[in-house]
Amino acid sequence: MNFFSSKFKLGILGGGQLGKMLLYNTRKFDIHTKVLDASNEAPCKIACDEFQLGDLMDFDAVYNFGKQVDVLTFEIENVNTNALEALEKEGVKVYPSSKTLRTIQNKATQKLFYKDHNIPTADFTRFAYTSEIKEAIHNGGLQLPFVWKSAQFGYDGNGVKVVRTIEDLEGLPNVECIAEDMIPFKNELAVIVARNVDGDIKTYPVVEMEFHPEANQVEYVICPARIDDAVAKKAREVALNVSKAFNHVGLLAVEMFQTKNDEILVNEVAPRPHNSGHQTIEASYTSQFEQHLRAILNLPLGQTDSKVGGIMVNLVGAEGHTGNVVYENIAKIMKLEGVTPHIYGKKQTRPFRKMGHVTIVNKDINEARRVAEQVKKTIKVMSK
Amino acid sequence: MNFFSSKFKLGILGGGQLGKMLLYNTRKFDIHTKVLDASNEAPCKIACDEFQLGDLMDFDAVYNFGKQVDVLTFEIENVNTNALEALEKEGVKVYPSSKTLRTIQNKATQKLFYKDHNIPTADFTRFAYTSEIKEAIHNGGLQLPFVWKSAQFGYDGNGVKVVRTIEDLEGLPNVECIAEDMIPFKNELAVIVARNVDGDIKTYPVVEMEFHPEANQVEYVICPARIDDAVAKKAREVALNVSKAFNHVGLLAVEMFQTKNDEILVNEVAPRPHNSGHQTIEASYTSQFEQHLRAILNLPLGQTDSKVGGIMVNLVGAEGHTGNVVYENIAKIMKLEGVTPHIYGKKQTRPFRKMGHVTIVNKDINEARRVAEQVKKTIKVMSK
C-alpha cells in the first residue's frame, strides 16, 4: 500500500485535540485524512481533508465511515467496537484492533486481562452493580478503604472514587464496577509503547506524573522520570509485556504505580496518543503523534529517545471562572526559556476544564522543573 | 491586542508550503487565520480558518483581503506592495512592511540598499536593459566574467546566469538587471534573523549551504555550519546589521558568501520563513515558523539555539521523470536515525521540481551529514 498516494485514505474516529495534533503529522507526510466526529466545532474539522458528522458510538455511523477508508484509527476510546469488528471482517485495517479496544473499554475486563497475562496490577474485586459492594463489606469479603471505579467510560476523574467509609458509597451510580486495593505508591509513572503492524516495538522513556490533589488531573508530566535506573528499566519491561499481551498496533500508553517497595503495578492503559506523551512533540526525536502514524501505517518506528528533558503542564480553567476564556500572562510565559504553549481553542472555560498544555524543555530537567513551576504560577485561564 | 481571542484575525498572503508550515503554529496557538492564494489547490486551503481565492499581484485582491484582518503577513515576496502600503496607511499592521518588501523585490534596489548602508556585498553595475551590457563590455566599463541577474522576480535559479563570454548573453530577457562580480567563495552561508515589533532581535546559528552543481538549488543545509567561530560570529553580526538597516519585523533570511579571505558578503535576503531554516522544526528550540509568528505578533522571541545538529535535504524530482509522483524508498529512509520526511503534496513531479524536504538530526553533525548522504542516495522522486 502506498500511503503517499492520493488514493490512500486514513480514517480517524474523533476530531478532538489529539486528532488535531495527529493531523500536523498526516499533513507533513501528505496523507489523505477523513475524520468522523459528532460536533461541527471539532478541532479537526479544519486541517483534515474530509470531515464527516456522526456519533462515534453509533454502529451505522462508524461502519459507513470506515467503509470509505483504507486504515482506520481513533483518538478516543468511546467508539462502537462492534462496527470496528465488522469493518475488520471486511478487510478494513483497524489499528488498534477492536479486540484491544473492547478489552480496554471495560475496566473490569481490562483488570482481568492483566491477571490472565501475569501482568502486575493492584488486587481488585469485580461487581455487577455498586449496590453489591455493601453486602461484600458486611460479609467480610471486602475491606475498607478501596478505590471504586466504574467499569465503563471513566475519564479523567469521572467514575473513580476513594471509598474510606460505607458513607462514601452514597451517590455512586449503580453500575458495573470494581473495588481496587489502595496502593501506597511513591510515584505514578507512564510509559508509551509503540508497535507497528510487523510487530516492531519501542518504548519511550519513563515519565513521572504529578497530579493536582483535588481535581485528580495530571499537573506535571516529567520526562525522564526522576527515578532509579533499575526502576525505570522495570517499568519499561512491564510496559513492553503489556503491549505484547495485547498484541496491539499503534501507541499504548501504560500508566503505572511505583509502590513503596519499588514494585511496578499497571494502573490502566490508553491505546492512543496520550496526555503523558505531549512533551514528546518538543523533547523527543519522534513525537508520539508521528510515532502513532508510523506504527499504524507499518512504517519503521522512529527513535524514542529525547533530544532534551521535557515537562508538560496542563492548562486548566482557574477556579471561580466560567465563561469566555482569556489566557492571562501568556506572553510572560513565552519569555521563559524553552516554553511552548499549546492552546486547544475551546471558547468557554470552567474550573479544571482542560484548555491546553504548555511544554517546557531544557537540557537540565531540574531547570525545566523550575521553569514549569513558574509557568504554572504565571499563566491563568480566566473568564472575561 | 489579544491574539488568543476569536476576534483577532491573522492574514497570510500566499497559501503554499511555507504557509502550510506556518499554520501548524497558528493552530498550536489557536490564532484565527485567513489565507489569500490564486489557486484552489493551495496547500493552505485546508488548515486555515478562512480561505480566499485571489491574485497576490492584484491591488484590489490584496487590499480587500487585507481590510478584513488585524495583522497581515506573506509567505512569498511576489505580492502587490502598493496594496500593502495602502493598508498600512489605514491601520492594518503589515509585517514585514511594504517598504522592506519593495526594497527586496527589486535586486538592483536591494543591492543599492546594501551600498547605502555599508553592508558588505559583491560589486555590481545596474542596467535598465540587458541590451546595454554588450556596449558596457565593449567600452571597457564591465569585465567578463560576471553574474547576470534580472532585477525582478528571480527565484531559485530563474533570472540568474553566469556570463563568461559575450555569447552567454544570448537569449537573456531584455529587462532591468545587474551585472555582479563573481565571488570566489569558500562557502555559502545563511543566517535567519528574527525581530519583533518592539525591536527585540535574535539570530539563529549560521547554516552552510551546499548547492546542486547543475540545478542551482540547495541540496544540503547544515546547521551549525562547519566554519571557524570567528567567521560564524562575523556572519551573525553582518546579518544583524542587515536586519537593523531594514528595520524589519518578522524573519529575515540573510544569504551570504564566505570569500577565500574569510570576508562575509551579503548575497540576498528573504523577508519570511526560508528554505535555509527548515531544519529548525526538528533541531531548534523554536522553529522558524513559530518564531515568525512570535515576531509579527510582538510576542517574546523564542530561543534560537539548537537542541541537536540538523541537516535539511531538498527532495527534488529525479531527472527523466515527469508525471504523477511516487516516492521510492521512503520507508527505507524512515528507518535511518533522526530522519523526518516532509512531503509537500504536489501531485506532479518533473526534473528538479521541489517536492519536499527531509530533515536529519543528530547530536553529532558529522553523523547527521553521513545519514543525509544516505537519504539523498536512497529516496527517489519518480513518476509512475
Side-chain angles (χ1 to χ4, degrees):
Chain A
M1 206 169 344
N2 183 4
F3 313 112
F4 303 98
S5 104
S6 54
K7 280 177 203 150
F8 176 83
K9 286 190 184 180
L10 172 67
I12 304 170
L13 298 170
Q17 290 305 322
L18 297 174
K20 177 177 136 181
M21 293 188 265
L22 201 58
L23 291 181
Y24 298 155
N25 294 280
T26 55
R27 293 220 71 202
K28 187 168 76 181
F29 292 164
D30 191 43
I31 289 164
H32 190 99
T33 50
K34 205 172 155 78
V35 170
L36 183 73
D37 195 281
S39 166
N40 232 327
E41 307 273 297
C44 286
K45 195 178 173 189
I46 63 171
C48 67
D49 293 275
E50 299 174 63
F51 181 77
Q52 200 168 303
L53 269 178
D55 182 348
L56 302 177
M57 292 305 291
D58 181 71
F59 181 94
D60 289 340
V62 172
Y63 177 82
N64 292 330
F65 175 82
K67 287 297 281 179
Q68 305 167 57
V69 301
D70 301 286
V71 171
L72 185 62
T73 191
F74 44 84
E75 57 111 49
I76 185 167
E77 285 97 327
N78 299 348
V79 304
N80 189 301
T81 46
N82 291 333
L84 296 186
E85 201 179 330
L87 289 163
E88 284 164 348
K89 282 184 184 146
E90 295 180 26
V92 178
K93 293 178 197 311
V94 180
Y95 302 126
S97 70
S98 64
K99 197 178 158 208
T100 299
L101 184 56
R102 211 188 282 280
T103 305
I104 290 168
Q105 274 183 344
N106 184 296
K107 279 189 189 167
T109 314
Q110 194 184 138
K111 291 284 286 188
L112 287 167
F113 179 87
Y114 299 143
K115 289 288 175 202
D116 288 349
H117 289 83
N118 291 317
I119 289 161
T121 192
D123 282 334
F124 71 101
T125 313
R126 177 188 168 275
F127 294 93
Y129 296 98
T130 308
S131 56
E132 295 173 2
I133 293 183
K134 267 189 199 168
E135 208 187 314
I137 296 172
H138 288 306
N139 292 347
L142 184 65
Q143 312 297 321
L144 288 163
F146 57 82
V147 183
W148 173 92
K149 292 180 177 176
S150 100
Q152 306 266 9
F153 300 125
Y155 182 68
D156 260 10
N158 291 326
V160 177
K161 191 178 182 187
V162 174
V163 177
R164 294 178 199 278
T165 67
I166 295 271
E167 289 70 42
D168 287 338
L169 287 166
E170 299 303 323
L172 288 178
N174 195 24
V175 293
E176 184 190 358
C177 58
I178 60 171
E180 194 180 57
D181 283 2
M182 276 190 72
I183 302 299
F185 58 82
K186 276 186 199 168
N187 281 305
E188 295 204 42
L189 307 174
V191 171
I192 292 178
V193 188
R195 192 167 168 279
N196 70 9
V197 183
D198 280 349
D200 295 339
I201 194 165
K202 281 187 182 181
T203 57
Y204 278 90
V206 185
V207 302
E208 175 191 344
M209 292 181 287
E210 282 184 42
F211 279 73
H212 186 284
E214 288 147 50
N216 195 28
Q217 276 181 324
V218 177
E219 203 168 28
Y220 300 107
V221 173
I222 302 169
C223 178
R226 296 158 302 178
I227 55 174
D228 287 351
D229 285 352
V231 176
K233 191 166 171 263
K234 200 193 281 180
R236 287 174 94 151
E237 279 168 6
V238 169
L240 272 178
N241 289 340
V242 176
S243 164
K244 285 176 190 162
F246 276 113
N247 213 19
H248 90 295
V249 172
L251 291 189
L252 192 74
V254 183
E255 296 187 54
M256 294 170 281
F257 298 115
Q258 175 191 359
T259 68
K260 301 271 185 216
N261 306 322
D262 286 343
E263 275 182 300
I264 296 292
L265 298 179
V266 172
N267 180 18
E268 58 181 35
V269 301
R272 53 166 171 79
H274 190 250
N275 197 48
S276 66
H278 285 341
Q279 77 292 339
T280 58
I281 298 173
E282 287 86 6
S284 297
Y285 282 93
T286 313
S287 84
Q288 65 168 344
F289 299 98
E290 178 177 329
Q291 197 74 288
H292 185 68
L293 279 184
R294 285 178 178 242
I296 64 174
L297 299 179
N298 203 25
L299 289 163
L301 298 176
Q303 278 171 267
T304 52
D305 45 334
S306 302
K307 296 169 191 166
V308 285
I311 295 188
M312 194 275 294
V313 175
N314 275 324
L315 263 188
V316 298
E319 289 186 85
H321 286 265
T322 300
N324 292 334
V325 67
V326 58
Y327 298 91
E328 218 177 79
N329 296 329
I330 192 158
K332 275 191 191 160
I333 68 160
M334 288 176 80
K335 218 177 235 173
L336 303 172
E337 232 176 286
V339 168
T340 308
H342 293 253
I343 306 296
Y344 294 170
K346 297 172 185 173
K347 307 262 180 289
Q348 303 285 316
T349 185
R350 56 175 184 264
F352 301 115
R353 185 176 193 199
K354 210 172 143 193
M355 303 297 285
H357 75 264
V358 181
T359 312
I360 299 97
V361 293
N362 202 295
K363 286 188 178 164
D364 175 357
I365 193 69
N366 296 314
E367 176 59 16
R369 183 64 183 77
R370 203 190 56 73
V371 175
E373 210 160 306
Q374 215 177 327
V375 165
K376 191 89 197 162
K377 274 187 204 151
T378 307
I379 191 167
K380 294 278 173 259
V381 183
M382 324 273 268
S383 57
K384 58 183 171 190
Chain B
M1 205 170 343
N2 183 4
F3 313 113
F4 303 99
S5 103
S6 54
K7 280 177 203 149
F8 176 83
K9 285 191 184 179
L10 171 65
I12 303 170
L13 298 170
Q17 290 306 322
L18 297 173
K20 177 178 137 183
M21 293 187 263
L22 201 59
L23 291 180
Y24 297 156
N25 293 281
T26 54
R27 294 219 72 201
K28 187 169 78 182
F29 292 164
D30 192 43
I31 289 165
H32 189 99
T33 50
K34 203 170 157 77
V35 170
L36 182 72
D37 195 279
S39 166
N40 232 327
E41 306 275 295
C44 286
K45 195 178 174 187
I46 62 172
C48 67
D49 294 274
E50 299 174 63
F51 181 78
Q52 200 168 300
L53 269 179
D55 181 348
L56 302 177
M57 291 305 291
D58 181 72
F59 181 95
D60 289 340
V62 172
Y63 177 83
N64 292 329
F65 176 83
K67 288 297 280 179
Q68 305 166 57
V69 301
D70 300 287
V71 171
L72 185 62
T73 191
F74 45 85
E75 57 111 48
I76 187 168
E77 284 97 325
N78 299 347
V79 306
N80 189 302
T81 46
N82 290 333
L84 297 186
E85 200 179 329
L87 290 163
E88 283 165 347
K89 282 185 183 146
E90 295 178 27
V92 178
K93 293 178 198 310
V94 180
Y95 301 127
S97 70
S98 64
K99 197 177 158 210
T100 299
L101 184 56
R102 209 187 283 280
T103 305
I104 290 168
Q105 273 184 344
N106 183 297
K107 278 190 190 166
T109 315
Q110 193 185 138
K111 291 284 286 190
L112 287 167
F113 179 88
Y114 299 143
K115 288 289 174 199
D116 288 348
H117 290 82
N118 290 318
I119 288 161
T121 191
D123 283 333
F124 70 100
T125 314
R126 177 188 168 275
F127 295 93
Y129 295 98
T130 307
S131 56
E132 296 173 2
I133 293 183
K134 266 189 202 171
E135 207 186 314
I137 297 173
H138 287 306
N139 291 346
L142 184 65
Q143 311 297 322
L144 289 164
F146 59 83
V147 183
W148 174 91
K149 292 180 177 177
S150 102
Q152 307 264 9
F153 300 123
Y155 181 68
D156 260 10
N158 291 328
V160 177
K161 191 178 181 186
V162 174
V163 176
R164 295 178 199 279
T165 67
I166 295 271
E167 290 69 44
D168 286 340
L169 287 166
E170 299 304 321
L172 288 178
N174 195 24
V175 293
E176 184 190 358
C177 59
I178 60 170
E180 194 180 57
D181 283 3
M182 275 189 74
I183 302 298
F185 59 82
K186 277 187 199 170
N187 280 306
E188 294 204 41
L189 308 174
V191 171
I192 292 178
V193 188
R195 191 166 168 279
N196 71 9
V197 183
D198 281 348
D200 295 339
I201 193 163
K202 280 186 184 182
T203 58
Y204 278 90
V206 185
V207 302
E208 175 192 341
M209 293 181 287
E210 283 184 41
F211 278 73
H212 186 285
E214 288 148 48
N216 196 29
Q217 277 182 322
V218 178
E219 203 168 28
Y220 301 107
V221 172
I222 302 169
C223 180
R226 296 158 301 177
I227 54 174
D228 286 353
D229 285 353
V231 176
K233 191 166 171 262
K234 199 193 280 180
R236 287 175 95 149
E237 278 168 7
V238 168
L240 273 177
N241 289 340
V242 176
S243 164
K244 286 176 189 161
F246 277 113
N247 213 20
H248 92 295
V249 172
L251 290 190
L252 192 73
V254 183
E255 296 187 55
M256 293 171 283
F257 298 115
Q258 175 190 0
T259 69
K260 300 271 184 216
N261 306 323
D262 286 344
E263 275 182 300
I264 296 292
L265 299 179
V266 172
N267 181 19
E268 57 180 36
V269 301
R272 51 165 171 81
H274 189 249
N275 197 49
S276 66
H278 285 342
Q279 76 293 338
T280 59
I281 298 172
E282 287 86 5
S284 298
Y285 282 93
T286 314
S287 85
Q288 64 167 344
F289 299 98
E290 178 177 330
Q291 196 74 288
H292 185 68
L293 279 184
R294 286 180 179 241
I296 65 175
L297 300 178
N298 204 24
L299 289 163
L301 298 177
Q303 278 172 270
T304 52
D305 46 333
S306 302
K307 296 170 189 165
V308 285
I311 294 188
M312 193 276 292
V313 174
N314 274 324
L315 263 187
V316 298
E319 289 187 81
H321 285 265
T322 300
N324 291 333
V325 68
V326 58
Y327 298 91
E328 218 177 80
N329 296 330
I330 193 157
K332 275 191 191 161
I333 68 160
M334 289 176 80
K335 218 176 235 171
L336 303 172
E337 232 176 286
V339 169
T340 309
H342 293 252
I343 306 295
Y344 293 170
K346 298 173 185 172
K347 307 261 180 290
Q348 303 286 318
T349 185
R350 56 175 184 264
F352 301 115
R353 186 176 192 198
K354 212 172 142 192
M355 304 297 287
H357 76 264
V358 181
T359 312
I360 300 98
V361 294
N362 201 294
K363 285 187 180 166
D364 175 357
I365 192 68
N366 296 314
E367 177 59 16
R369 182 64 183 77
R370 203 190 57 73
V371 175
E373 210 160 304
Q374 215 177 329
V375 165
K376 190 88 197 165
K377 274 186 206 154
T378 307
I379 191 166
K380 294 278 174 259
V381 184
M382 323 275 267
S383 57
K384 58 184 170 189

